[in-house]
Amino acid sequence: MAYQITDRCIGCQLCAKNCPVMAITGDKKKQHVINEKRCIECGVCQKGCPKSAILDEKGQAGEKIPKAQWKNRL
């Protein structure tokens, strides 16, 4: 199971802008969707989400982490 975006998504587009493989699509101010075939489960989307709206492969929500504190996982 790839990462998933919940209905807490506000459509801010940060996840889509930061996704290194362009696996996230959606319109501004609307819930976005992750293409599970493209998702590499790197967690970048989860780290940037201001609403903790993204669940990882275990179904756990992540918390926003300032970009300066991100570790390079790719």
Side-chain angles (χ1 to χ4, degrees), residues 3-5 9 15 23-26 30-36:
Y3 281 52
Q4 294 184 342
I5 300 177
C9 175
C15 57
I24 303 172
T25 57
K30 295 194 178 187
Q31 185 174 346
H32 282 47
V33 176
I34 298 175
N35 179 331
E36 62 183 68

Side-chain angles (χ1 to χ4, degrees), residues 44-60:
V44 169
C45 57
Q46 205 175 39
K47 292 176 186 175
C49 182
K51 296 295 182 181
S52 299
I54 301 175
L55 305 178
D56 64 16
E57 69 278 357
K58 296 176 185 172
Q60 298 175 353

Side-chain angles (χ1 to χ4, degrees), residues 16-32:
K17 290 177 184 175
N18 288 317
C19 180
V21 295
M22 296 179 279
I24 303 172
T25 57
D27 294 326
K28 192 172 187 176
K29 297 186 179 182
K30 295 194 178 187
Q31 185 174 346
H32 282 47

